[in-house]
Amino acid sequence: MRILPSFLFLIVATPFAQSQAATPAPVPCSTPEYRQFDFWLGDWDVSVAGKTGGHNHITSEYGGCVLQEHWTGSGGSVGSSFNIYDPVRKVWHQTWVDNGGTLLEIEGGMKDGSMVMTGEQLQPDGKKLLNRITWTP
């Protein structure tokens, strides 16, 4: 039986280890599409017909993959939405929930410089309500 010196094993293992280290893992949520809605980030006072409607605080979460909305309405409503770009379907998705039991799911994307999302919401009477929200920088 012939015994090989141990340094030969290191030579064989070294190229494999280097090739593994040379390919960095892709950074999640780093494509330009994930930044399309960043103009919404920040604090917003919302008014409806000149009257105070509430306050919105929009934050970037989970390493820049998600925009989270934190809503406080002047009438006591509170709610939150999670907004994420789906690279497989190439659409933005929002799921909204609030203290009134509302669930709203809308989808869309950039159109003529604005973020536009739509979705149907089933009403208690069985009818469908079409929601369309447009955010313009």
Side-chain angles (χ1 to χ4, degrees):
M1 172 186 223
R2 186 173 175 201
I3 299 175
L4 296 176
S6 62
F7 72 88
L8 289 179
F9 292 108
L10 290 176
I11 292 171
V12 172
T14 301
F16 178 75
Q18 286 176 346
S19 68
Q20 293 268 341
T23 308
V27 177
C29 311
S30 62
T31 62
E33 293 85 0
Y34 282 93
R35 305 287 68 86
Q36 290 176 327
F37 210 2
D38 282 0
F39 67 84
W40 194 29
L41 290 168
D43 288 292
W44 302 90
D45 290 321
V46 179
S47 60
V48 179
K51 295 181 181 178
T52 301
H55 182 79
N56 232 348
H57 178 64
I58 313 303
T59 58
S60 177
E61 304 293 338
Y62 310 113
C65 293
V66 174
L67 293 183
Q68 185 175 1
E69 174 183 16
H70 311 267
W71 167 258
T72 304
S74 58
S77 65
V78 291
S80 187
S81 72
F82 290 90
N83 303 268
I84 188 165
Y85 180 72
D86 180 349
V88 174
R89 297 182 303 131
K90 299 187 182 330
V91 298
W92 274 88
H93 176 88
Q94 180 185 96
T95 298
W96 161 268
V97 294
D98 66 21
N99 65 336
T102 304
L103 169 64
L104 175 63
E105 294 182 300
I106 54 178
E107 292 188 325
M110 293 300 288
K111 183 176 182 181
D112 300 324
S114 296
M115 179 63 69
V116 180
M117 290 194 232
T118 60
E120 289 185 342
Q121 184 180 26
L122 191 59
Q123 301 298 294
D125 63 5
K127 293 182 182 178
K128 293 180 182 177
L129 173 68
L130 178 63
N131 289 286
R132 180 176 188 263
I133 302 175
T134 302
W135 295 262
T136 304

